[in-house]
Amino acid sequence: MATIGFHASHEQIPPEQLLRDVRHAEQAGFGAAMCSDHLEPWSPRQGHSGFALSWLGAALATTELPFGFVHAPGRRYHPVVTAQATATLARMFPGRLWTALGSGQKLNERPVSPEWPGKEQRQQFLGASFDVVRRLHAGEEVSCREPVHADRARVWDPPEVPPSLLVAALTPATVRRFAPVADGFITVNQPLEDLRRMLGAWREAGGTGRAALQVHLSWAPSPEQARAIALDQWRTNVFDPVTMAELASPQDYLRRAVQEDVGDEQIAGAVNVSADLGRHAQWLHEYAELGFDEIHLHHVGQEQEAFLDAFGDAVLPQLDRD
């Protein structure tokens, strides 16, 4: 059975509460955790965005869980900074950290840079970032010019156990492209056939290592509450990958959701919404049967306690039996 993890959403929950939530997740029986890494939330309704790298130090120090995070080297993070930050965490907590490198969103890069390159240029930079980070983790001195500039860069405290470098991907083309250089991949819940194609593309391209899935879900004691939570918090996150990468601010995402009159039907394509814990267990069982090694649950509500208790009591035991 896949490891079931808890996704800590920095965009929705203040960091001090999120730290309490991840401790609660460990006590409830979750076997791993991961978090987002944003400068801005997706929507003003979400309203938070703590700094993932400092939060991870506290979360790793106060739990025993393995942790991952999705991270975009680029304008906000030079790959040398990515390498130094992840090396430090990996030295302090060996064997417990992975990071998924991705090409990012304009939402998070716009505040620090006037430039937002096209996808192909971003993916070229991402490929070079894998190389730079790995070499720095290995203790090398790195100099290069294009597409990443580094001048005799060195991580003076390289990790004894280098953290796994996954690729964050939403399409088969991306997993196929990065299979030769990544230690695994992570994606988000999609129709089962689309996820099957993602896994197939990864394996056909020679990909090895973990296949991880982040599942957006909304649960509450009543169907009406579950739908209301999903609509309030995640109506800005239902668009195609190109749109999600290109909108520039939380206000832009909210305007787009209003313009398209996002409702229950669109939400259902991005979030598993149900008050039935058995239905949630069934969804997770179907994902695990596809072959994912880790499944990280993201309850899109801002209050996590009831979700963690309910899934710890009624959903995780069902999956263990499977």
Side-chain angles (χ1 to χ4, degrees), residues 21-292:
D21 290 337
V22 78
R23 292 173 185 159
H24 191 154
E26 183 177 37
Q27 294 165 0
F30 286 76
M34 65 168 288
C35 75
S36 52
D37 181 6
H38 272 234
L39 184 63
E40 300 250 31
W42 300 104
S43 160
R45 295 288 300 168
Q46 294 171 357
H48 299 280
S49 203
F51 185 51
L53 286 165
S54 53
W55 183 88
L56 278 163
L60 283 157
T62 55
T63 71
E64 298 296 326
L65 297 173
F67 271 82
F69 69 112
V70 179
H71 175 90
R75 278 127 188 87
R76 201 163 45 112
Y77 295 113
H78 191 283
V80 173
V81 176
T82 295
Q84 184 189 28
T86 53
T88 296
L89 288 169
R91 282 185 70 98
M92 293 190 295
F93 309 103
R96 291 178 56 200
L97 181 73
W98 57 264
T99 182
L101 304 183
S103 57
Q105 300 92 19
K106 188 175 183 178
L107 171 74
N108 292 308
E109 309 302 326
R110 179 261 315 155
V112 299
S113 173
E115 300 177 356
W116 178 241
K119 182 176 179 179
E120 176 58 28
Q121 187 178 347
R122 299 199 313 273
Q123 291 205 330
Q124 289 177 9
F125 190 93
L126 180 59
S129 296
F130 272 95
D131 179 63
V132 168
V133 173
R134 286 199 192 282
R135 291 170 62 193
L136 290 170
H137 281 174
E140 295 183 33
E141 181 180 275
V142 175
S143 293
C144 51
R145 290 191 177 182
E146 293 293 339
V148 175
H149 174 81
D151 179 11
R152 294 161 291 175
R154 178 179 173 186
V155 170
W156 287 82
D157 289 294
E160 294 182 10
V161 181
S164 296
L165 300 181
L166 282 62
V167 63
L170 295 174
T171 66
T174 298
V175 294
R176 193 176 292 114
R177 177 171 185 164
F178 289 95
V181 298
D183 298 319
F185 80 94
I186 185 168
T187 190
V188 298
N189 55 295
Q190 305 172 40
L192 293 179
E193 190 54 42
D194 292 344
L195 293 175
R196 191 174 287 112
R197 280 194 286 268
M198 294 278 285
L199 287 161
W202 173 253
R203 292 163 183 153
E204 290 162 9
T208 59
R210 77 188 73 197
L213 177 66
Q214 180 187 354
V215 174
H216 304 303
L217 66 94
S218 182
W219 171 84
S222 74
E224 294 76 19
Q225 288 174 295
R227 288 197 298 269
I229 289 169
L231 188 63
D232 178 69
Q233 285 293 297
W234 218 245
R235 67 188 302 206
T236 50
N237 294 62
V238 302
F239 309 120
D240 63 90
V242 173
T243 300
M244 293 300 291
E246 296 295 333
L247 293 175
S249 72
Q251 292 76 17
D252 288 346
Y253 282 86
L254 184 57
R255 275 193 291 270
R256 184 64 173 263
V258 172
Q259 288 168 1
E260 297 199 7
D261 193 23
V262 171
D264 289 346
E265 183 176 351
Q266 295 97 318
I267 289 287
V271 183
N272 291 342
V273 181
S274 180
D276 183 350
L277 293 170
R279 182 67 182 104
H280 282 286
Q282 181 183 356
W283 275 318
L284 297 176
H285 178 76
E286 290 170 350
Y287 298 139
E289 281 195 320
L290 291 175
F292 284 98

